[in-house]
Each structure stands twice: as C-alpha cells, then as structure tokens.
Amino acid sequence: MTDEILIKKALWVRDRAYVPYSNYPVGAALLTESGHIFCGCNVENVSYGLTICAERSAVVQAIAAGQKEFSAIAVAGDLQKPSFPCGACLQVLAEFNKTMTIYIVTDKKIIEKNLVELLPHIFSF
Ligand code: THU
C-alpha cells in the first residue's frame, strides 16, 4: 500500500517539475524508515549545469526536515520507457542507504531494483 502511495506521489510531483529547457519532467518520492514521504522534482536553470534532478531534490527536502533513514524511492520520468536515476543521483542516494529499493514508474509496469544493482561499485573511502 505504501509503495502505491509512493508511486502516486512521484507522478503527482512530476507535474511540478520546472523543465523549460529539456521538457523532460521527473518526479521522485522518497520513503523514510519512519513512513514519511518526501517529494522532489527536477528544477532546470538557464545555465544548464545548475539543474537539480528530482531524486536529489527529494533528498534535500528530507534532510532539511531532519530525516536521513531512507528505505525506498519511486522515480517517474519518461512514462513510455524506464527512466533510471542518473549516476550522480545514485551516488547521493547511496550516501544514506546503499541497499534502498528503487521503483521506476512507467505506464505499463513498475520496475523494482535495489540500489546496488544500478550502482554496484559505489565510490567510498
Ligand atoms: N533528470 C532527473 O531529474 N533525474 C535523473 O536521474 C536524470 C535526469 C532530469 C535532469 C534534467 O532536468 C532532465 O531530467 C533531462 O536530463
């Protein structure tokens, strides 16, 4: 049930994405161990490089609210085909939980992955 809510929230926040340059909206909903959900969308910038992805935007929301134990994230980008989190977002998510569940939302199906499957060699020191 929580997973369904997480996916609905990712789709809901996707509509809030600020994407005048790529026209590629992404929504992310991050679930904490305590059951809270934090949402984020991509926010683009005219300088392009300052763009923040939806996943990292959700992490920023959660951290600012004092939460850092994450169990899952749902990501809704292109709904026609799977839109996996980029390497930068995977690395940022791995900072908090290297084995969190990642749901990729498409029109037809939900793909479930573990973070280590998408980023098997996480940078660490
Ligand atoms: N984007 C995300 O929001 N998350 C990702 O994991 C990859 C890409 C955004 C950044 C940019 O606004 C748009 O998708 C196209 O690259």
Side-chain angles (χ1 to χ4, degrees):
M1 187 56 187
T2 310
D3 300 344
E4 270 176 45
I5 295 169
L6 202 63
I7 287 153
K8 282 208 173 86
K9 289 224 171 190
L11 287 164
W12 166 79
V13 73
R14 180 178 179 270
D15 286 339
R16 295 201 162 170
Y18 176 73
V19 289
Y21 305 105
S22 73
N23 198 28
Y24 187 90
V26 184
L30 186 61
L31 179 67
T32 68
E33 300 283 2
S34 58
H36 289 90
I37 294 175
F38 293 92
C39 296
C41 56
N42 48 340
V43 180
E44 297 186 342
N45 186 267
V46 65
S47 74
Y48 288 24
L50 289 178
T51 293
I52 184 166
C53 292
E55 299 88 327
R56 279 178 288 147
S57 163
V59 169
V60 168
Q61 293 284 329
I63 296 298
Q67 305 275 320
K68 59 178 164 45
E69 262 113 61
F70 308 139
S71 56
I73 188 167
V75 181
D78 184 350
L79 301 178
Q80 318 283 343
K81 62 182 172 63
S83 168
F84 292 97
C86 73
C89 287
L90 290 171
Q91 182 71 41
V92 168
L93 291 168
E95 180 77 16
F96 302 101
N97 181 357
K98 293 174 176 56
T99 58
M100 79 169 70
T101 303
I102 300 183
Y103 297 106
I104 310 299
V105 184
T106 74
D107 276 340
K108 294 190 187 71
K109 58 179 178 178
I110 309 298
I111 299 169
E112 183 178 337
K113 296 280 184 194
N114 191 286
L115 200 158
V116 289
E117 291 180 82
L118 301 181
L119 189 67
H121 301 288
I122 298 160
F123 172 76
S124 191
F125 68 90

